[in-house]
Amino acid sequence: MDLERLKDIPLFLVRDQPFMSTFLLVLGALSVARIVYQTLSVLLQIFVLPGKNVKQFGANRGAWAVVTGASDGIGKEFAFQLAKAGFNVLLVARNKVLLQATASDIAKKYPGVSTETHSIDFAKGDEAAYQGLAMVLNDRDIGVLVNNVGKSHAMPAYLVDTPKEEMIDIVAINVNATLRVTYAVLPGMVERKRGLILNIGSFAGGLPSPMLATYSGTKAFLATFTSALAEEVKSHNIIVEHVNTYFVVSKLSKIRKSSALIPQPGPYVRSVLSKIGLACGAGYSGRPGTSTPYWSHALLDYAMTLIGLPSVFISYTHGLHKSIRKRALKKQEREAKRQ
Ligand SMILES: NC(=O)c1ccc[n+]([C@@H]2O[C@H](COP(=O)([O-])OP(=O)(O)OC[C@H]3O[C@@H](n4cnc5c(N)ncnc54)[C@H](OP(=O)(O)O)[C@@H]3O)[C@@H](O)[C@H]2O)c1
């Protein structure tokens, strides 16, 4: 500001009206205090406070954990860590061989737990297949459900350039599978008055992501669905949590090397299971039922909440995705020439 113009500030407001100056001072102090309080509470949740113990959902008492997309990546890690906690595990995905291999690795490592597998292709949305899965789920004491299965775009693309099948599959897998599996599992949890449902979401759900519009929209669905359902069932002692996730090393992310911001599935899943019921980085984001538990994802989420300005982040993401698409198309061209 031009120093000369400071003279124009109506100083009489401060000098002649002590009430006004005190009011402004208190308002400023309250705003600073609020930010300090929020930041301390977020840091405490991320680094100090323990979440609810996952074992309270029936571990070592015969309860099952059901994990969708359990043959690889994050889902496979959930299956291992829930078995370690003392749950029997039901692994759900398409590839029977991978499912069996994962189940027998779990059985070898944790001989005290039972494992079962169920093969289903959620992209097909086949009614008979869903009924088959419901029969496997019914009459089983399910303590934990991890709606982990997910599909993203093969590469960033504008909606008009997105293959129709890809668009349809993403909705079938990310939205319909979560709804149908939850719908099959929930009545039993209500009856037993105990349950934990984790819906694995993405930053792309909170921050609209151009060129991944379908994926982004389906992950936003998970956040809203979780908030609504969590309120519906909390009186039945059931926790429903939307787990907000930045990048994790996996086939889906196409990232092979971990870093501070991009963990391996192991530490990522450990953070989820150790922070149940704590919002961590999603605190104060206006998304009840959402948790961002992994420490660096949590700090990023909280920083984005503090900064605000979503349109700046959306535009940045758009630019990033344009360049990722360019590189992906070039790689495709090179590979086509090689063949
Ligand atoms: N990795 C990340 O950076 C990241 C970031 C944000 C959110 N997430 C979310 O985390 C979740 C897990 O992702 P991930 O990275 O672990 O993925 P991933 O490594 O690609 O694993 C996906 C799992 O889902 C199964 N699956 C895929 N399509 C299926 C279908 N049509 N029907 C049944 N099962 C199917 C796969 O097994 P089969 O091939 O045998 O079926 C596999 O077990 C997803 O919801 C994803 O959106 C991941």
Side-chain angles (χ1 to χ4, degrees):
M1 186 189 278
D2 184 353
L3 285 179
E4 268 302 292
R5 297 192 62 193
L6 277 175
K7 283 187 294 189
D8 302 336
I9 290 180
L11 282 176
F12 68 89
L13 269 180
V14 178
R15 201 180 47 234
D16 301 340
Q17 299 193 32
F19 171 75
M20 180 61 84
S21 62
T22 311
F23 176 71
L24 290 174
L25 205 70
V26 169
L27 208 65
L30 281 178
S31 303
V32 171
R34 197 186 60 156
I35 291 178
V36 170
Y37 170 78
Q38 286 183 354
T39 307
L40 284 176
S41 119
V42 164
L43 292 176
L44 212 64
Q45 289 186 35
I46 299 172
F47 294 110
V48 183
L49 295 177
K52 285 189 195 308
N53 190 340
V54 71
K55 293 186 179 181
Q56 76 181 66
F57 300 98
N60 302 311
R61 279 180 279 142
W64 288 78
V66 177
V67 184
T68 66
S71 60
D72 209 346
I74 294 170
K76 182 174 172 176
E77 190 60 40
F78 266 114
F80 269 88
Q81 292 195 24
L82 287 164
K84 185 179 181 192
F87 289 95
N88 299 320
V89 281
L90 173 64
L91 306 122
V92 182
R94 284 170 304 184
N95 189 319
K96 286 182 185 162
V97 177
L98 277 183
L99 280 171
Q100 282 301 340
T102 308
S104 70
D105 285 350
I106 292 174
K108 261 183 239 149
K109 201 163 176 192
Y110 306 109
V113 305
S114 303
T115 57
E116 275 186 40
T117 63
H118 186 84
S119 169
I120 181 171
D121 184 349
F122 288 119
K124 291 204 170 119
D126 175 39
E127 193 51 41
Y130 269 119
Q131 278 174 19
L133 176 59
M135 275 172 53
V136 172
L137 298 171
N138 284 346
D139 303 326
R140 195 183 286 259
D141 175 356
I142 297 170
V144 180
L145 165 64
V146 187
N147 283 311
N148 162 79
V149 70
K151 179 180 166 81
S152 186
H153 300 263
M155 69 172 81
Y158 290 116
L159 188 69
V160 287
D161 300 321
T162 302
K164 193 167 82 185
E165 282 310 312
E166 181 178 273
M167 186 180 77
I168 292 169
D169 285 359
I170 289 172
V171 176
I173 293 168
N174 298 3
V175 175
N176 294 350
T178 298
L179 280 176
R180 295 296 302 262
V181 177
T182 304
Y183 192 72
V185 164
L186 199 56
M189 286 185 169
V190 170
E191 210 175 290
R192 290 183 293 275
K193 288 210 156 293
R194 143 167 75 65
L196 170 69
I197 300 176
L198 300 172
N199 295 326
I200 308 305
S202 161
F203 268 52
L207 180 73
S209 301
M211 304 183 79
L212 297 180
T214 308
Y215 179 73
S216 183
T218 60
K219 291 296 181 179
F221 163 85
L222 286 188
T224 305
F225 170 66
T226 301
S227 276
L229 187 64
E231 177 66 24
E232 281 183 26
V233 298
K234 71 176 183 197
S235 61
H236 298 287
N237 193 30
I238 298 168
I239 293 179
V240 189
E241 195 166 280
H242 167 243
V243 186
N244 192 28
T245 313
Y246 190 62
F247 289 114
V248 173
V249 172
S250 83
K251 220 158 52 187
L252 181 142
S253 68
K254 301 187 181 76
I255 299 174
R256 292 196 202 110
K257 213 169 151 254
S258 61
S259 63
L261 208 51
I262 306 172
Q264 294 284 350
Y268 165 77
V269 169
R270 256 191 302 284
S271 78
V272 176
L273 295 178
S274 64
K275 296 288 176 182
I276 293 160
L278 297 175
C280 297
Y284 310 102
S285 66
R287 288 172 274 147
T290 292
S291 167
T292 311
Y294 187 73
W295 71 271
S296 58
H297 296 182
L299 293 177
L300 181 63
D301 194 10
Y302 183 58
M304 285 166 72
T305 303
L306 279 184
I307 295 166
L309 304 172
S311 51
V312 173
F313 287 112
I314 293 170
S315 154
Y316 168 78
T317 309
H318 188 184
L320 189 72
H321 287 167
K322 270 194 226 175
S323 81
I324 293 176
R325 180 172 175 81
K326 222 186 239 172
R327 274 182 279 138
L329 287 174
K330 271 190 189 148
K331 189 175 169 207
Q332 234 176 31
E333 247 174 61
R334 277 198 308 274
E335 279 168 2
K337 271 183 199 157
R338 240 182 269 142
Q339 282 165 5

